[in-house]
Amino acid sequence: MPIERKWWKEEVIYQIYPRSFNDSNGDGIGDINGVIQKLDYIKELGVDIIWMSPIYQSPNDDNGYDISDYYAIHPEFGTMKEFDTLLKGIHDRGMRLIMDLVVNHSSDEHAWFEESRSSLDNPKRDYYFWKKGKNGGPPNNWKSFFGGSAWEYDSKTDEYFLHLFTKKQPDLNWENPKVKEEIFDILKFWLDKGIDGFRMDVIPLISKRLDFSDTELGSFNEVVEKVYSNGPKVHEYINEMYERVLQHYDIMTVGEGPGISKDVGLNYVGHDRRELNMIFHLDHMFLGHGPRGKFDPVSYGWPEIKKLFQEWYDAMGDSGWISIFLDNHDFPRLVSRFGNDTVYRVESAKCLATMILTLRGTACIYQGSEIGMTNVDFDKIEDYRDVETHNFYKEFTSEGMPPSDFISLVQQHGRDNVRTPIQWNETKHAGFTDGTPWISVNTNYREINAEKVLADKNSIFYWYKTLIAYRKEHKTLVYGEWKVLDDSNPDLYFYSRKDEEGDFIILLNHSDLHHEASFDILSEYSLDLQNLENDMVDILLPWEARIYRK
Ligand code: TEU
Ligand code: CA
């Protein structure tokens, strides 16, 4: 079967975490008008699809991933009228907008939950999961993604409710047909406004194993995969969403896939599955998460990363599809985690960009990657905002971990690394706000900011722009067969992309070392793109990236 050609396979996604993108009214919080002000900047990069993290009404326990009204724009971000202006501005520039759909759970301040918790016989009681405790404690031993039990006791009705995330994010009960109807109405509301699709938050979690039995599994990643994700009715629910809503619009859907392994990926995105278009799988992002998660780290390296990319390529075949990304609002800055954000920050950022834009999958770029923003090194817990960080700080320090030890873990693995304000220029607060930012700006903003990269034709920004245009010109980099040519050197990523339209070789040195690069096959190709100056054909400089074409 020939691979199907689709716009959402060819186009490039740019993720905006609006709270940290650009503040237009001086309250220290990024907003919709702030995004509108930067639409030409985004267009200049050459990306096509903007994925907007949640902008709905929310108490912000998890920065908008706890929604209290799916039909309302949070006043901090602006008004529905301003949203309409944003959508028009995006469409007028030939770009598309996908919204973040968070329907595994709502906020506990959603009207549904306020009714549900009010009494045992409230008509909305089973919009959520309520259970009696066991042996004086929660119904089972399930843990939240964000520490502690996944159950919260509610004294009013003497029952516990399920929350796989914070206790202000109660899980919705998709078993209840009324819940599904409510969610399908939400989808239709936003699709009828003209948006171009959805990123579906933790979609593999929406079907629960209703026996709610204790788990004996050791590592949290295993619990996510085998207990929380891929439940008995997950495909029934997503397929129903497709049949009832999604198929009636020319849109794209991408499922965020904690727990979706390569072995079940095709069940969600196979071309004939009538479910989702693609997955943000998290296998490479969860690398390094030890038994208790990211703050219980284990070592890993490029061999594990490349093995996962091979496994997912093989699993998808020509039928399924994934997105290729190396960071988002939940994971550290890609140049800090996978590159070298000190001596070779620019070179490694460009090298990693080359990887993202030459593998098979829809490339997704997180805000700030195009200017080479790095992790932060806040050294006080008060500097952090992320509920995940604060919950685990309490949990680990209460077990005796010195606070300074936890802080160094947060500096490496915490989500606020990617949530500091975008660094627009070298004025106060990096030009993000005229007020006090909701989270401090990275202190390196004078050296790293958009104004500087836009003035430098050799900057990371223009390398992304060049690669994006190159990928669009050569669709072989989207659809072509991918093959690793030689993996004898663990520091090199050496692969081809080939189909009837083109024949490319990509050669990446993802290390701080010089490497020999005299591969006979290259004599048949000409060098099209190189991320740095180097006229030594047979030697690769640290973090050098080359694209050859026949
Ligand atoms: O993330 C789900 C998820 O897997 C995250 O919990 C992430 O992997 C975790 O931080 C790793 O430790 C989605 C959203 O992207 C995230 O921002 C939300 O906090 C979460 O769901 C709950 O909505
Ligand atoms: Ca604002």
Side-chain angles (χ1 to χ4, degrees):
M1 176 210 82
I3 193 165
E4 284 181 320
R5 300 212 162 200
K6 300 280 184 188
W7 59 262
W8 41 264
K9 292 184 178 179
E10 300 176 10
E11 297 190 1
V12 175
I13 302 170
Y14 183 82
Q15 181 192 358
I16 290 179
Y17 192 72
R19 194 171 189 79
S20 307
F21 189 71
N22 185 36
D23 170 25
S24 69
N25 63 350
D27 66 357
I29 298 166
D31 46 52
I32 289 171
N33 283 334
V35 177
I36 291 171
Q37 287 172 2
K38 299 294 181 184
L39 285 179
D40 289 333
Y41 165 84
I42 296 169
K43 181 66 181 174
E44 171 69 17
L45 190 56
V47 297
D48 310 280
I49 302 161
I50 292 174
W51 155 27
M52 184 76 82
S53 275
I55 52 175
Y56 318 98
Q57 182 69 271
S58 163
N60 285 329
D61 189 55
D62 186 16
N63 283 355
Y65 283 90
D66 50 317
I67 297 166
S68 52
D69 186 344
Y70 290 89
Y71 295 95
I73 299 292
H74 195 306
E76 281 177 344
F77 290 130
T79 64
M80 188 59 87
K81 193 168 174 326
E82 288 162 346
F83 170 80
D84 293 338
T85 304
L86 170 70
L87 183 59
K88 185 175 181 314
I90 291 172
H91 286 163
D92 286 351
R93 290 169 176 79
M95 297 191 288
R96 304 176 202 256
L97 174 68
I98 65 172
M99 298 276 272
D100 216 314
L101 182 73
V102 187
V103 288
N104 170 69
H105 48 272
S106 75
S107 164
D108 68 340
E109 296 182 29
H110 195 291
W112 299 336
F113 189 73
E114 286 172 351
E115 284 194 52
S116 175
R117 78 182 326 165
S118 64
S119 71
L120 288 172
D121 59 1
N122 182 286
K124 288 192 169 57
R125 185 69 175 179
D126 62 354
Y127 268 43
Y128 299 87
F129 293 97
W130 292 91
K131 283 182 80 60
K132 284 289 178 218
K134 186 173 71 177
N135 309 329
N140 67 20
N141 66 354
W142 292 8
K143 290 267 176 280
S144 157
F145 274 80
F146 295 151
S149 170
W151 298 91
E152 180 71 10
Y153 180 68
D154 193 274
S155 57
K156 190 175 173 76
T157 56
D158 187 29
E159 286 193 337
Y160 289 77
F161 66 86
L162 176 68
H163 61 86
L164 295 181
F165 292 94
T166 75
K167 62 187 176 190
K168 285 183 68 64
Q169 293 171 290
D171 280 59
L172 284 161
N173 176 5
W174 277 69
E175 295 287 318
N176 182 342
K178 293 194 196 80
V179 169
K180 285 192 285 186
E181 288 308 317
E182 300 266 17
I183 289 166
F184 296 164
D185 288 346
I186 292 164
L187 285 163
K188 283 181 267 189
F189 173 81
W190 289 101
L191 291 171
D192 290 342
K193 285 185 75 68
I195 70 167
D196 302 287
F198 293 102
R199 175 265 190 185
M200 297 192 186
D201 191 64
V202 298
I203 199 71
L205 274 56
I206 59 175
S207 166
K208 298 338 184 208
R209 291 169 175 81
L210 297 175
D211 59 349
F212 291 112
S213 54
D214 279 343
T215 173
E216 305 312 320
L217 291 171
S219 94
F220 189 67
N221 277 357
E222 259 190 297
V223 170
V224 173
E225 182 179 341
K226 298 191 170 63
V227 181
Y228 296 165
S229 293
N230 314 308
K233 293 187 181 174
V234 70
H235 297 294
E236 178 189 317
Y237 296 155
I238 299 173
N239 176 252
E240 187 178 351
M241 188 195 287
Y242 180 89
E243 301 297 350
R244 299 271 306 276
V245 183
L246 303 176
Q247 67 163 325
H248 303 297
Y249 300 84
D250 177 19
I251 56 166
M252 70 163 274
T253 53
V254 49
E256 186 213 14
I260 298 184
S261 71
K262 66 182 185 322
D263 302 323
V264 300
L266 216 44
N267 300 339
Y268 290 87
V269 292
H271 76 286
D272 55 355
R273 291 286 300 173
R274 302 175 70 81
E275 292 193 23
L276 302 173
N277 295 139
M278 71 183 91
I279 310 170
F280 286 133
H281 79 77
L282 296 177
D283 276 355
H284 57 314
M285 305 311 281
F286 281 5
L287 277 176
H289 290 193
R292 294 178 67 184
K294 62 175 67 173
F295 297 121
D296 178 21
V298 293
S299 66
Y300 69 96
W302 278 96
E304 288 83 4
I305 298 167
K306 295 193 258 192
K307 178 170 174 288
L308 284 170
F309 276 113
Q310 185 67 60
E311 288 173 350
W312 272 93
Y313 177 81
D314 296 340
M316 290 295 102
D318 286 345
S319 169
W321 199 254
I322 59 171
S323 170
I324 302 289
F325 65 100
L326 292 176
D327 62 5
N328 62 30
H329 65 291
D330 287 332
F331 297 95
R333 284 273 173 202
L334 63 83
V335 72
S336 299
R337 180 177 184 181
F338 299 110
N340 175 326
D341 65 2
T342 53
V343 180
Y344 296 107
R345 181 178 63 84
V346 175
E347 296 83 349
S348 63
K350 289 179 174 181
C351 184
L352 295 167
T354 311
M355 181 174 150
I356 292 168
L357 285 152
T358 56
L359 289 176
R360 182 189 273 189
T362 298
C364 186
I365 302 165
Y366 179 68
Q367 65 178 38
S369 294
E370 76 279 3
I371 59 177
M373 281 178 66
T374 67
N375 282 356
V376 287
D377 56 0
F378 299 153
D379 54 12
K380 296 189 302 300
I381 191 63
E382 297 76 27
D383 294 334
Y384 291 97
R385 297 287 178 272
D386 182 9
V387 63
E388 179 185 60
T389 292
H390 283 280
N391 284 6
F392 281 113
Y393 177 80
K394 289 187 200 102
E395 186 168 304
F396 280 72
T397 53
S398 68
E399 293 167 2
M401 178 185 281
S404 56
D405 288 6
F406 188 81
I407 291 294
S408 66
L409 288 170
V410 179
Q411 289 174 344
Q412 296 169 71
H413 309 294
R415 301 194 297 181
D416 284 328
N417 277 312
V418 273
R419 298 178 178 188
T420 59
I422 294 299
Q423 294 156 202
W424 295 108
N425 54 50
E426 53 186 39
T427 64
K428 197 162 183 280
H429 302 312
F432 164 74
T433 178
D434 297 336
T436 305
W438 70 279
I439 185 171
S440 299
V441 172
N442 194 319
T443 51
N444 62 18
Y445 73 92
R446 289 181 190 82
E447 175 210 343
I448 301 172
N449 62 67
E451 194 170 77
K452 277 186 91 161
V453 296
L454 288 171
D456 169 7
K457 285 303 175 203
N458 285 321
S459 65
I460 299 163
F461 182 96
Y462 289 110
W463 182 249
Y464 267 103
K465 182 179 166 71
T466 301
L467 287 174
I468 290 167
Y470 190 80
R471 183 179 171 93
K472 289 213 179 99
E473 186 188 349
H474 303 293
K475 294 279 187 299
T476 305
L477 294 174
V478 178
Y479 297 109
E481 182 199 30
W482 174 69
K483 196 158 161 294
V484 173
L485 299 176
D486 177 325
D487 60 1
S488 54
N489 182 335
D491 285 346
L492 303 186
Y493 214 2
F494 183 32
Y495 52 85
S496 62
R497 298 298 311 273
K498 202 183 282 187
D499 62 12
E500 61 289 344
E501 291 172 13
D503 185 342
F504 297 80
I505 286 181
I506 292 88
L507 181 50
L508 309 175
N509 174 9
H510 47 76
S511 80
D512 294 344
L513 305 175
H514 290 65
H515 282 290
E516 231 281 281
S518 54
F519 298 99
D520 298 345
I521 186 171
L522 292 178
S523 60
E524 303 160 32
Y525 292 74
S526 58
L527 181 59
D528 260 7
L529 292 176
Q530 192 173 15
N531 70 332
L532 44 73
E533 292 296 316
N534 173 22
D535 50 16
M536 297 180 293
V537 175
D538 291 344
I539 299 289
L540 284 173
L541 298 180
W543 297 99
E544 182 167 354
R546 296 180 186 170
I547 302 180
Y548 294 86
R549 181 159 54 103
K550 187 177 269 191

